[in-house]
Amino acid sequence: MTYSPVGRETDRVDGRLKVTGAARYSADYRAPGMVYAHVVTSTIGRGTVTRIDTGAALASPGVLRVYAAPDPRLRLYPVAPQFRNFVENYVPLQDAEVRFHGQIIAMVVAESVEQARDAAALVTATYAAQPPRTSLTDEPSVPSGPTVSGTSGDITILAPGVESIDAALAACDVVVEADFHQPVQHHVAMEPHATLAVWEGDVVTVYSGAQIPPAYALGMSQRLGVLPQQVRLITKYVGGGFGARVVLWSDAPLAAVAARELGRPVKLVLTREQVFTLTGHRSHLTQTVRLGASRDGVLNAVSHESDVETPAVVAFNLTPAHATSDTLYRTPNLRTNPRMVILDLPGSRAMRAPNEAPGAFALETAMDELAVATGVDPVELRLRNHTAVSPVTGLPWSSKHLDECYHVGARRFGWSRRHATPRARVDGQWLIGVGMASAVYPATRHPASVRIRLLDDDTAVVSTATSDLGTGGWTMVAIAGADALGIPLKRVTPEIGDTALPQGAPAVGSSATHSTVPLIVDAARDTIAALKQLAATDPRSPWHGANAEDLRYEEGRLHSRGRSMSFGRLLTVIGSRGVDATASAPGGAPPEYAYHSFGAHFCEVKVNRFTGETRVTRFTTVADVGRVINARAARSQLVGGVIFGIGYALLEENPLELDTGRLAGSTLADYLVPVNADIPDIDVHLLDRPDPVLTGPLGDGGEVGTRSLGARGLGEIGNVGSAAAVGNAVFNATGIRVRDVPITPDKLL
């Protein structure tokens, strides 16, 4: 191809629609006869609703219905066990039990948003309350089950002759042991959760944000008691997800079932406070990391234990050692032991780098403490413990250039000018320090399908039902399609975010790009083959009777017998509107390798010696994420991940009231996230090294497939280790080690 958009600085194909307001998000859709819903939530953390007074709400202007738990008019159903990771394990408004503070106990439907909201404020409830289970120390811990990746979180690997991890640690020259605590944290997507449900006969179209559209639609069909083909999900533009839009929460099925009962479209938009409570959070947890090493910093033992909140209603079983302590460093003795504590709290969910971000904060902080204890430079310490194979499986990495990330990052950041002694750099009232940390994230391919259709106007449509959470999915699909077909980007139309399209890859686990791109390549190959076959067999074609294999396709044109014609012209000549093909894959990759992306963070902070205020002044990140599809979007994703890490380190916390189970900081006035004034320019460098295994043939049993571009996911790796880099820089500036996030001024005074 003369010009390929792969790896270049490409504007988002959906950018103009977004900045002009033409892109429609879930709450922007309207339907004839539409009415509005508003939910009422519980004010206790555990117990039973004994009475709900709806009289005043029913008498309010414009009110059509008030549904109160339990309400027989709303026919909702449990889901099959295999969907319980994607749907809460109770059925909303079907019983009087209260499982957490903020659970939906009633819903008002009215002619306007304001009428529904005002009437909902008039609904009152009385309860038979019980003390909720809220503390990690109140309940006995239970071992975790398998993580979402299929790898058990409970791992013990011991060298020959070593009886236990404790014995391995006792034999080490230097031992570092540290405890860490992380409070409840939230996704805080820009777009609040919203649903519009429109029934036409027995088929419902749902407009709502979803990260896994097929699972969302299947969960909805089971909640409503209808066949899967009776639910269509439209999720074209999503204003952020970060894990909060993986689960089908209670609000969407309630809107859909109310629309069915009323016979009118129903729109339900959660308030910001309701979003904090009803759509998941990152669990609070405690971690203990123990590192044992020789005097020159070579690891001999790594132990990583944790106690994690597991809400009874639905939970992501967070295992913070997964892809951190069990992945990053070479050690002959390894022990990871996550324990889950069942609590009466709102449902939790994966939050951007769910295991890896908290796990890396603990591990990479402990590694910095080991560097201090041994006197080894933090970068050199990590290089001395670099591993060429997975510490757990022994498999080689499909591709790994973490050592280059360290070297390039150190050079770009100016790490050689670092002062190892804390409080050595002072500028007036500011103490200045630097820190660094490693980053790692799994690379997983999920099942998906892609259809490509060549049209008679010389354009192509690439269709797959993945969703774009603002991550650049629209543009990724267009770029990969243009590259595979050898045509300009402007001639490719992406279609995504609609379950009527071929099944798309989940927008989770940094997997959408490297699950989708290989299938776009496959679909392009098959579509071109179909075009050649049409050219060779249609009587109106100038190549009728030719051997299809003798036709040559280049950059949107067929060539043979001294003739050349664009595919659009050929389709016009033979009277066809288009030709298409669909490619599908079950996911996965060759099992003889381990698949991860890697990176290194370098951070400078200044801390006010009198107030404890911390400001991040410089940040450099170098990432090894395989082939880069869109350099601009890739850099943006890494910058966003680093900003997540800065928020994790310095700002984000939702205090939990242990007596009531209430999350006390559930507004944007109380729950602090970074704003522009908190963030410096972030230097991001992408190695752009194609993964040689993921560029190989796809398919089973030796079947020759096409070759992908060697891309891996990168949406979350910026969030892994970046908080530790901030914390390590704070220590270098102040000499104070803070292990409980966020690192607030009171902890530095």
Side-chain angles (χ1 to χ4, degrees):
M1 184 176 179
T2 304
Y3 174 87
S4 171
V6 170
R8 299 181 183 270
E9 299 274 346
T10 303
D11 291 338
R12 293 173 184 256
V13 299
D14 53 326
R16 181 171 293 276
L17 291 173
K18 288 181 174 177
V19 299
T20 59
R24 286 199 290 176
Y25 292 81
S26 300
D28 295 329
Y29 286 95
R30 300 185 62 82
M34 183 174 70
V35 293
Y36 300 84
H38 194 98
V39 297
V40 180
T41 57
S42 67
T43 56
I44 65 167
R46 186 182 184 188
T48 305
V49 178
T50 58
R51 182 173 182 271
I52 296 182
D53 187 346
T54 62
L58 279 168
S60 296
V63 171
L64 303 170
R65 294 283 195 282
V66 179
Y67 304 103
D71 199 310
R73 294 172 295 179
L74 300 182
R75 301 189 308 278
L76 291 173
Y77 304 92
V79 299
Q82 63 265 33
F83 290 102
R84 286 180 184 164
N85 277 337
F86 306 105
V87 182
E88 292 162 295
N89 59 20
Y90 70 97
V91 186
L93 296 192
Q94 299 304 296
D95 59 42
E97 182 181 352
V98 175
R99 298 159 178 86
F100 60 89
H101 195 292
Q103 177 183 318
I104 298 173
I105 59 169
M107 181 173 66
V108 176
V109 181
E111 296 285 354
S112 74
V113 172
E114 296 79 8
Q115 289 170 336
R117 178 198 63 206
D118 294 348
L122 301 176
V123 176
T124 60
T126 55
Y127 306 93
Q130 302 175 36
R133 300 166 294 178
T134 57
S135 173
L136 291 173
T137 61
D138 286 348
E139 291 286 326
S141 298
V142 295
S144 74
T147 70
V148 291
S149 67
T151 303
S152 174
D154 195 340
I155 297 171
T156 301
I157 298 173
L158 298 174
V162 176
E163 295 182 356
S164 67
I165 195 68
D166 292 334
L169 287 160
C172 294
D173 297 329
V174 180
V175 176
V176 168
E177 179 173 351
D179 296 326
F180 303 86
H181 176 259
Q182 168 195 292
V184 168
Q185 297 171 341
H186 294 277
H187 309 81
V188 199
M190 184 179 295
E191 179 194 13
H193 283 59
T195 304
L196 171 62
V198 183
W199 288 85
E200 295 183 14
D202 60 357
V203 174
V204 63
T205 299
V206 179
Y207 301 84
S208 189
Q211 293 183 239
I212 313 178
Y216 185 105
L218 282 170
M220 181 70 82
S221 72
Q222 294 199 13
R223 270 284 188 254
L224 297 173
V226 300
L227 297 173
Q229 57 266 34
Q230 292 173 258
V231 177
R232 179 184 180 187
L233 173 67
I234 306 292
T235 182
K236 291 186 178 294
Y237 297 98
V238 183
F242 315 118
R245 287 185 161 94
V246 172
V247 167
L248 174 67
W249 302 102
S250 293
D251 58 311
L254 285 174
V257 74
R260 179 168 63 184
E261 198 271 331
L262 274 165
R264 295 176 67 176
V266 171
K267 180 185 287 188
L268 170 57
V269 181
L270 296 182
T271 67
R272 181 62 67 179
E273 185 172 3
Q274 291 168 349
V275 168
F276 273 91
T277 302
L278 291 170
T279 65
H281 61 272
R282 177 181 276 151
S283 301
H284 72 286
L285 75 154
T286 60
Q287 303 179 73
T288 299
V289 173
R290 295 181 291 166
L291 304 179
S294 63
R295 288 186 177 86
D296 58 358
V298 176
L299 287 168
N300 180 60
V302 174
S303 172
H304 192 155
E305 300 179 322
S306 57
D307 287 327
V308 182
E309 160 213 333
T310 301
V313 289
V314 64
F316 177 85
N317 283 347
L318 196 156
T319 55
H322 173 62
T324 53
S325 293
D326 66 3
T327 302
L328 264 172
Y329 302 116
R330 182 181 64 253
T331 179
N333 301 287
L334 173 67
R335 172 72 170 135
T336 67
N337 183 28
R339 295 176 293 269
M340 307 300 165
V341 184
I342 299 174
L343 300 177
D344 301 313
L345 295 175
S348 68
R349 190 64 332 203
M351 178 173 157
R352 200 175 192 180
N355 301 299
E356 299 77 12
F361 179 78
L363 173 65
E364 291 300 285
T365 302
M367 284 292 286
D368 199 67
E369 297 188 44
L370 182 62
V372 172
T374 59
V376 179
D377 178 89
V379 173
E380 176 61 27
L381 179 72
R382 287 162 174 82
L383 288 167
R384 290 181 186 182
N385 293 286
H386 188 272
T387 177
V389 299
S390 165
V392 174
T393 66
L395 295 174
W397 308 110
S398 61
S399 177
K400 182 181 183 182
H401 302 283
L402 179 55
D403 52 350
E404 185 177 353
C405 293
Y406 294 139
H407 291 306
V408 172
R411 184 175 65 251
R412 293 174 71 97
F413 183 77
W415 183 257
S416 62
R417 298 190 295 273
R418 165 186 177 266
H419 294 271
T421 304
R423 303 178 74 91
R425 289 179 62 196
V426 181
D427 181 10
Q429 61 183 315
W430 298 95
L431 304 172
I432 300 173
V434 297
M436 61 83 55
S438 303
V440 62
Y441 196 81
T444 305
R445 277 182 172 162
H446 291 285
S449 298
V450 171
R451 181 177 64 241
I452 291 181
R453 182 169 179 82
L454 303 178
L455 302 179
D456 60 2
D457 60 356
D458 274 326
T459 66
V461 179
V462 185
S463 307
T464 183
T466 191
S467 59
D468 186 336
L469 315 176
T471 49
W474 285 95
T475 309
M476 173 270 291
V477 169
I479 288 173
D483 177 76
L485 294 169
I487 60 177
L489 185 64
K490 64 183 179 181
R491 286 168 50 189
V492 177
T493 301
E495 280 188 335
I496 67 173
D498 185 341
T499 54
L501 302 173
Q503 175 180 328
V508 298
S510 300
S511 62
T513 293
H514 63 276
S515 297
T516 304
V517 167
L519 294 176
I520 292 175
V521 178
D522 277 358
R525 173 204 60 194
D526 294 344
T527 305
I528 291 167
L531 177 72
K532 291 179 179 180
Q533 187 64 29
L534 185 64
T537 57
D538 192 286
R540 293 162 291 183
S541 165
W543 293 293
H544 177 244
N547 187 335
E549 295 180 359
D550 293 336
L551 297 175
R552 190 174 79 257
Y553 176 93
E554 290 181 357
E555 300 184 5
R557 300 182 70 85
L558 286 180
H559 306 269
S560 184
R561 299 178 179 176
R563 285 180 171 271
S564 177
M565 185 179 292
S566 72
F567 65 75
R569 177 61 182 159
L570 173 66
L571 293 171
T572 300
V573 166
I574 66 178
S576 172
R577 292 297 307 278
V579 60
D580 63 80
T582 300
S584 302
E592 59 268 26
Y593 295 94
Y595 301 88
H596 283 74
S597 289
F598 301 92
H601 301 292
F602 296 82
C603 175
E604 178 187 80
V605 302
K606 58 181 183 180
V607 181
N608 191 292
R609 64 167 75 194
F610 302 117
T611 67
E613 176 191 357
T614 299
R615 296 182 183 177
V616 178
T617 51
R618 288 195 298 131
F619 210 105
T620 293
T621 293
V622 180
D624 170 28
V625 294
R627 185 74 168 103
V628 174
I629 303 301
N630 181 357
R632 180 168 297 168
R635 189 167 54 252
S636 175
Q637 282 296 289
L638 286 166
V639 167
V642 169
I643 293 170
F644 254 67
I646 293 172
Y648 181 114
L650 300 179
L651 295 170
E652 296 188 47
E653 176 182 22
N654 195 339
L656 173 63
E657 294 180 352
L658 296 179
D659 291 343
T660 66
R662 174 176 172 261
L663 293 171
S666 297
T667 73
L668 288 178
D670 300 315
Y671 186 87
L672 302 181
V673 296
V675 297
N676 286 344
D678 300 313
I679 305 299
D681 287 337
I682 296 172
D683 172 35
V684 170
H685 179 72
L686 297 149
L687 296 185
D688 199 16
R689 299 283 194 88
D691 188 313
V693 176
L694 296 180
T695 58
L698 308 175
D700 298 325
E703 176 188 349
V704 176
T706 60
R707 294 178 179 269
S708 73
L709 298 173
R712 295 196 301 265
L714 55 79
E716 293 167 271
I717 193 170
N719 193 22
V720 182
S722 47
V726 175
N728 294 339
V730 169
F731 171 79
N732 184 247
T734 65
I736 300 172
R737 183 71 70 180
V738 181
R739 302 183 184 93
D740 295 350
V741 291
I743 303 170
T744 47
D746 56 296
K747 298 171 184 174
L748 299 174
L749 295 176

